[in-house]
Amino acid sequence: MVYEIAIIGNPNVGKTSIFNILTGSKQYVANWPGVTVEKKVGNFSYKNEKFKLVDLPGIYSLSSMSEDERVARDFFINENPDCIVVVADSLNLERSMFLALQLLEMNLPVILDLNSIDEVKEKGRKINIEYIEKTLNIPVVATSAKEQTGITDLLENIYKVSKSSVKKTFKINYPERIENFCQKFSEINSNNSKLANYNMKWAALNYLENNSLNNLFDDKLTEKINNIDILPELKDIYLQWKFDFLSKLAENATIASGRDWSFRDLLDHVLTHKFLGLIIYILALYMVFSITFTVAAPFSDLLDMLFSSLGGWLDGKIPIDWLNSLIVDGIIGGVGGVLVFVPQIFVLFFFMGFLEESGYLPRAAFLVDKIVRKFGLSGRSFMSIILGFGCSVPAIMSTKTVSNKKERMALILSIPFASCSARLPVYIVLIAAFFQNYSALVLLSIYLLSILMVLFSSKLIQKFITQTENIPFTIELPRFRMPGLKNLGFYTWNKGKHFLEKAGTIILLSTIVIWVLSYFPASNDIEHSYAAAIGKSIAPITSHLGWDWKTNTAMIFGVTAKEVIVSTYSTLLNTNEGNLAAGLSQIMTPLSAFSLLIFILGYVPCFATLGVIKSETGSWKWAVFAFFYTTIIAYILANAVYYIGGLFL
Amino acid sequence: MIFMVVKDIVKYINNEKSVDLNSLKARFKITDSQMSVLIPILSGYGINYEKIDKVTPVCAACPVKQNCNMKGLNKCGL
Amino acid sequence: MSKITLVFISVFSFIISFANIFIYNDYFYSVSFFVVFLIGVFGFYKNNNIWFHESSHIITSGIIVFVLGGYEVFNYFSQWLNYWMTKEDFPSLNWTIVISFFVFLFIFLKEKKNIKSKSVKN
């Protein structure tokens, strides 16, 4: 006979570590039927008995709101396992107790495993295991996955509970009105065959709490149940009882000797301060941008020298005039003009990766929770915005887990305003040409403005969506950790690689197209080329901002990928990076350049982003909307910056 | 331990649509430990919570899979 | 003891903040040390709920200065790289940052010892 054991617990309590220790390499991964939730199963033997261990998803409750919770709940109802190990974080006992209590209410054979007991000792605390055992009438084991202690004790208890024919049960003394309700509920449903698999008392309590089993009762039964008592009042009594019971249990179970602290607590106290935390965060961003410029600039210059000499060496060596121009001015000038920014991109991602992997970004998201709530978003959504600084595509994808539909829709349509890394080369070129002395500051202001644009846009869009759902609370701060160099390397390479791939594909292709358009029909008169004609066609709406046809053409082609703006400039101005800055300063004033920066920050999401907007909203309508919406907002802002800036400059 | 009425907290949250956890803690003088108990209880009232430690979709759900299979970094991102 | 340290942090970082404007014309360090100054000042406002409130402000300001020190080293090396390539702008080290680094290292280690003894006492 093989005993079936389930292992369950909150996320990040070391559940998987315990699972791995128990099963070793004898495990496999499958999916739960009908859903994408992963199912891990392993086998082990103890005292000549065989056990099958099922690793359930990390959840906080069985209230069946999410797919994970539903999977776990259905497993307990349908599979009826021989023993359930609830892994709890000893340092945060109270959080795990809710789940443990729900399982006990289902009358299941539970073992409570207090994991990370070593950390409790380190903090000078003690847990009164006996007290928990007596209160809940279940076996309680203390383990440490890190130090691999307490495992034999756990195995012994699994063995005993699984073999025992009489399961220990927890007799809960609920307030009288609740007990009466459960009694009458059982009587009413005594003939309800749909409830055959369920523990009747649990079904009654579930009915009170959130009624996730409502499909098991027909209208007649529902009416009868609802007439037992005033149910909303009973629900309040029940949940208040739960709160008091668990708070008391957690309070009495932990004995603290001395006052505990950790570096994480010390840092958190200041870094999550509503005012200090925010300015430290802005300082951190400023530092990252500043490093991007200082560290990467020499490497960028080196690449620039390389491309310039390659172009100079090749120039004139190809006898066919147009081919010579295509390779030297078009491909080397255009693609090379973009490739010189590879160092900046890599350095920026390296340090952004550091902020994210160290747990600092999620902390910042928690910090701004209160502020972004005023815009109808949660701190969790702020993380998606930050993710959008890398690329809008995964940022929009990440909104999948935002449960509030109104918030999600607003986010999907506003994330394109988050300044993605493709725009970085354009910023760097314009900043180098016009704002050399304040480079990091200008870049910081663009990113901060970008966050503001996302927030205001979300607020605006939500005005048109009617829904009154609450914004979910934001919880769970991941621990601070020193990111491994290997992980950071992967992170940086993964993101930087995409930039290189784009240079070899879409940027190269666009560069060739732009060269063709600028070379024909008159090979030596660019002012009368097709490219000029395209740019001049929209001059009436851009010339008042001081943007000439070259800028217009660059922006039109930038729709394919934002980096193309730089390669287009390089081709049209017939230069590469070093001289590009000089060339740009000839065709624009600093004010025009700043309004252009703002326009580029907002206008038209790239094709990939439009595609993902379509797939996430399920309609092209929204992709088209995003196309026009972002462009119009960006245009209005660019005009505002130009005219308001004009008053001061 | 200060006695707390869960019902009042729920009423407050439903009235103030955009209250955050820290303000709630300050208003009702809730300790960290009580908060941990309270959060799953609130979900019984339909007040949801979201984690912020994991937002990057894993490779299985990533639209750009070719960029998303680096070892040790099961993250979707460009 | 912690209060005296906080007074020292506030005054010292305020001076460094101004020194960076007048000597080095460096707004980044100036703003950064102003933030350290604010962390010191906010440390005086007692927070009864958290017993390590003062230590927390001291330790965090220390860590921020360490990061700034690291940044300065980074900056210095990239200046050398730039000099090596262009032969322009001879690299220079911002001494206020170097001095602050060692001052805060001393404060940090002392406070670490202090908080350890405080946690055992009660």
Side-chain angles (χ1 to χ4, degrees):
Chain A
M1 184 187 172
V2 179
Y3 293 104
E4 190 172 34
I5 317 295
I7 185 163
I8 194 166
N10 296 168
N12 306 325
V13 289
K15 184 170 61 76
T16 308
S17 308
I18 295 283
F19 177 86
N20 289 341
I21 292 171
L22 290 179
T23 60
S25 58
K26 289 177 202 148
Q27 45 175 277
Y28 59 91
V29 179
N31 264 24
W32 293 96
V35 290
T36 52
V37 180
E38 216 171 62
K39 175 188 188 178
K40 242 163 110 184
V41 183
N43 296 307
F44 68 94
S45 304
Y46 183 72
K47 287 191 176 171
N48 296 325
E49 294 290 353
K50 284 184 177 140
F51 297 89
K52 178 181 152 194
L53 188 62
V54 181
D55 187 13
L56 290 161
I59 52 173
Y60 290 105
S61 75
L62 290 170
S63 309
S64 75
M65 286 186 320
S66 70
E67 213 169 46
D68 285 356
E69 288 172 4
R70 255 196 308 277
V71 160
R73 193 204 61 189
D74 293 347
F75 174 83
F76 293 127
I77 292 168
N78 302 327
E79 302 276 322
N80 213 3
D82 296 297
C83 167
I84 296 155
V85 180
V86 178
V87 183
D89 180 2
S90 304
L91 280 177
N92 204 344
L93 206 57
E94 47 277 48
R95 186 168 283 182
S96 303
M97 283 309 185
F98 188 84
L99 181 66
L101 184 63
Q102 277 190 321
L103 290 167
L104 288 171
E105 284 177 330
M106 289 174 92
N107 217 6
L108 293 164
V110 169
I111 297 174
L112 184 63
D113 172 12
L114 306 177
N115 195 26
S116 309
I117 199 75
D118 53 314
E119 288 181 42
V120 172
K121 280 180 195 150
E122 248 169 54
K123 286 205 163 202
R125 285 194 214 167
K126 224 179 147 185
I127 292 183
N128 190 343
I129 292 178
E130 225 169 86
Y131 172 78
I132 307 174
E133 260 176 346
K134 279 190 180 150
T135 316
L136 300 177
N137 195 28
I138 51 166
V140 180
V141 189
T143 58
S144 159
K146 205 167 85 189
E147 295 176 356
Q148 301 218 356
T149 54
I151 304 296
T152 323
D153 203 10
L154 176 65
L155 281 168
E156 186 62 33
N157 274 290
I158 292 175
Y159 176 79
K160 274 188 198 158
V161 172
S162 308
K163 295 264 303 176
S164 156
S165 53
V166 188
K167 307 280 182 207
K168 264 187 175 181
T169 49
F170 168 54
K171 174 82 181 78
I172 307 174
N173 294 318
Y174 292 104
E176 211 182 324
R177 264 177 86 182
I178 305 285
E179 291 287 358
N180 284 343
F181 171 78
C182 292
Q183 180 67 34
K184 283 180 184 152
F185 180 93
S186 306
E187 285 164 16
I188 291 169
N189 283 290
S190 55
N191 294 325
N192 185 355
S193 56
K194 286 181 189 165
L195 277 184
N197 278 343
Y198 296 84
N199 175 294
M200 202 53 96
K201 193 164 187 180
W202 176 74
L205 294 171
N206 178 278
Y207 192 93
L208 265 189
E209 191 179 341
N210 55 12
N211 198 12
S212 64
L213 306 170
N214 54 359
N215 54 338
L216 303 180
F217 310 97
D218 58 28
D219 290 349
K220 224 172 161 185
L221 275 176
T222 308
E223 201 192 326
K224 269 188 184 170
I225 298 168
N226 290 350
N227 283 333
I228 299 177
D229 202 329
I230 308 162
L231 294 197
E233 234 177 64
L234 269 193
K235 179 179 179 171
D236 288 341
I237 295 171
Y238 171 53
L239 289 174
Q240 180 70 47
W241 173 86
K242 253 189 175 175
F243 177 77
D244 295 339
F245 178 78
L246 292 174
S247 305
K248 199 176 146 219
L249 179 69
E251 200 180 73
N252 293 343
T254 313
I255 309 154
S257 67
R259 299 185 286 189
D260 58 26
W261 65 282
S262 66
F263 269 110
R264 177 190 135 110
D265 298 334
L266 294 182
L267 274 174
D268 263 353
H269 175 58
V270 178
L271 294 184
T272 52
H273 185 278
K274 57 188 173 189
F275 172 69
L276 288 177
L278 214 59
I279 51 173
I280 295 173
Y281 177 57
I282 292 173
L283 194 72
L285 276 185
Y286 184 52
M287 199 183 282
V288 169
F289 294 142
S290 193
I291 291 176
T292 304
F293 279 103
T294 51
V295 176
F299 294 102
S300 194
D301 289 344
L302 195 73
L303 278 175
D304 187 32
M305 270 159 56
L306 266 171
F307 284 116
S308 298
S309 34
L310 181 70
W313 177 76
L314 261 179
D315 199 10
K317 286 213 165 43
I318 303 160
I320 309 162
D321 251 10
W322 66 266
L323 193 64
N324 185 58
S325 175
L326 170 67
I327 291 173
V328 176
D329 304 331
I331 297 174
I332 296 176
V335 180
V338 176
L339 280 179
V340 294
F341 298 107
V342 166
Q344 273 94 339
I345 302 268
F346 273 78
V347 171
L348 182 73
F349 280 139
F350 182 85
F351 287 102
M352 280 294 204
F354 186 89
L355 289 187
E356 195 183 322
E357 296 282 305
S358 65
Y360 188 59
L361 278 190
R363 220 154 230 81
F366 189 75
L367 196 68
V368 296
D369 191 39
K370 193 175 178 179
I371 302 170
V372 297
R373 268 168 193 278
K374 300 213 173 3
F375 295 90
L377 300 174
S378 67
R380 151 73 191 72
S381 302
F382 186 75
M383 280 292 286
S384 292
I385 301 174
I386 299 284
L387 203 60
F389 285 166
C391 174
S392 302
V393 174
I396 291 173
M397 289 292 299
S398 77
T399 62
K400 257 192 172 57
T401 51
V402 173
S403 54
N404 186 321
K405 289 185 191 71
K406 183 175 169 182
E407 183 186 353
R408 179 162 184 244
M409 194 64 189
L411 254 185
I412 290 175
L413 296 174
S414 306
I415 279 177
F417 287 123
S419 181
C420 72
S421 60
R423 292 169 176 140
L424 196 66
V426 192
Y427 298 151
I428 295 172
V429 140
L430 286 169
I431 288 171
F434 298 97
F435 313 103
Q436 185 90 59
N437 296 333
Y438 310 97
S439 42
L441 202 62
V442 172
L443 198 58
L444 178 70
S445 67
I446 289 172
Y447 274 82
L448 292 181
L449 182 72
S450 145
I451 294 174
L452 285 180
M453 278 168 78
V454 180
L455 294 181
F456 279 104
S457 159
S458 298
K459 182 89 183 159
L460 183 73
I461 291 169
Q462 291 194 28
K463 284 221 181 301
F464 298 96
I465 308 171
T466 45
Q467 197 198 36
T468 48
E469 217 178 304
N470 278 334
I471 304 162
F473 279 116
T474 308
I475 56 162
E476 192 89 6
L477 288 177
R479 294 170 189 226
F480 271 127
R481 55 186 176 261
M482 195 64 186
L485 226 93
K486 197 175 150 196
N487 246 14
L488 266 182
F490 275 136
Y491 182 100
T492 313
W493 171 242
N494 217 9
K495 298 211 170 197
K497 190 180 75 172
H498 180 67
F499 181 74
L500 292 176
E501 281 170 357
K502 264 167 114 181
T505 51
I506 192 154
I507 298 172
L508 176 67
L509 202 73
S510 307
T511 308
I512 294 172
V513 172
I514 289 151
W515 176 84
V516 169
L517 292 173
S518 66
Y519 194 80
F520 297 105
S523 62
N524 44 16
D525 187 8
I526 201 166
E527 287 294 327
H528 293 98
S529 62
Y530 294 128
I534 293 171
K536 283 171 186 166
S537 68
I538 57 163
I541 52 168
T542 61
S543 56
H544 65 283
L545 295 168
W547 306 345
D548 71 345
W549 69 263
K550 293 187 180 86
T551 301
N552 296 346
T553 311
M555 276 185 305
I556 290 170
F557 282 93
V559 174
T560 54
K562 297 289 182 297
E563 299 94 331
V564 171
I565 296 177
V566 175
S567 62
T568 309
Y569 267 136
S570 299
T571 311
L572 296 181
L573 293 168
N574 203 4
T575 55
N576 45 24
E577 196 234 357
N579 308 321
L580 185 56
L584 279 170
S585 58
Q586 301 289 315
I587 61 167
M588 245 185 288
T589 63
L591 189 57
S592 293
F594 196 70
S595 64
L596 181 64
L597 274 174
I598 306 299
F599 185 73
I600 289 166
L601 165 64
Y603 95 110
V604 183
C606 68
F607 289 154
T609 307
L610 290 172
V612 84
I613 291 176
K614 188 252 156 191
S615 68
E616 289 301 305
T617 56
S619 152
W620 274 114
K621 192 177 73 184
W622 288 112
V624 173
F625 171 79
F627 184 95
F628 288 107
Y629 169 68
T630 51
T631 311
I632 291 167
I633 297 277
Y635 185 68
I636 293 171
L637 273 177
N639 274 283
V641 164
Y642 187 79
Y643 287 111
I644 295 170
L647 298 176
F648 299 100
L649 293 174
Chain B
M1 195 180 75
I2 307 161
F3 179 72
M4 247 172 29
V5 183
V6 176
K7 199 171 66 177
D8 294 347
I9 299 173
V10 173
K11 206 170 145 193
Y12 177 73
I13 296 170
N14 285 331
N15 286 340
E16 305 272 320
K17 285 267 174 274
S18 60
V19 65
D20 71 305
L21 226 51
N22 283 337
S23 322
L24 198 69
K25 264 175 159 174
R27 191 183 166 88
F28 289 94
K29 297 198 170 55
I30 308 171
T31 63
D32 284 341
S33 158
Q34 286 174 324
M35 203 69 208
S36 295
V37 180
L38 192 63
I39 285 170
I41 286 180
L42 289 179
S43 75
Y45 285 98
I47 298 161
N48 301 348
Y49 49 88
E50 282 176 337
K51 291 172 279 169
I52 50 169
D53 61 336
K54 248 191 193 170
V55 292
T56 324
V58 293
C59 293
C62 187
V64 276
K65 286 197 182 109
Q66 69 272 25
N67 294 305
C68 189
N69 49 12
M70 304 301 285
K71 277 175 221 159
L73 208 85
N74 184 25
K75 269 182 175 182
C76 179
L78 300 177
Chain C
M1 185 62 203
S2 294
K3 278 228 158 44
I4 300 168
T5 316
L6 280 172
V7 173
F8 179 78
I9 288 176
S10 306
V11 174
F12 184 81
S13 50
F14 195 74
I15 294 169
I16 299 287
S17 174
F18 267 78
N20 269 288
I21 294 183
F22 295 118
I23 305 172
Y24 293 98
N25 201 19
D26 192 322
Y27 286 89
F28 172 67
Y29 282 135
S30 174
V31 171
S32 304
F33 272 91
F34 193 74
V35 172
V36 176
F37 160 73
L38 286 177
I39 293 173
V41 172
F42 273 70
F44 290 115
Y45 294 97
K46 205 132 187 74
N47 186 332
N48 289 327
N49 294 328
I50 292 155
W51 67 271
F52 50 71
H53 171 76
E54 285 163 349
S55 303
S56 165
H57 280 252
I58 296 168
I59 295 277
T60 312
S61 59
I63 288 174
I64 289 178
V65 175
F66 299 157
V67 174
L68 289 173
Y71 173 76
E72 177 60 20
V73 173
F74 238 96
N75 207 356
Y76 188 64
F77 280 120
S78 71
Q79 280 183 46
W80 268 108
L81 201 69
N82 194 42
Y83 178 73
W84 173 70
M85 281 177 53
T86 59
K87 299 281 175 252
E88 282 169 20
D89 303 326
F90 190 78
S92 63
L93 205 58
N94 186 329
W95 286 104
T96 57
I97 307 300
V98 179
I99 294 164
S100 307
F101 183 88
F102 288 107
V103 169
F104 274 85
L105 186 67
F106 175 74
I107 293 173
F108 180 86
L109 293 175
K110 215 166 156 43
E111 190 56 32
K112 208 176 132 188
K113 225 166 139 188
N114 183 26
I115 193 171
K116 267 188 184 156
S117 69
K118 264 200 222 166
S119 65
V120 179
K121 238 184 263 172
N122 292 285

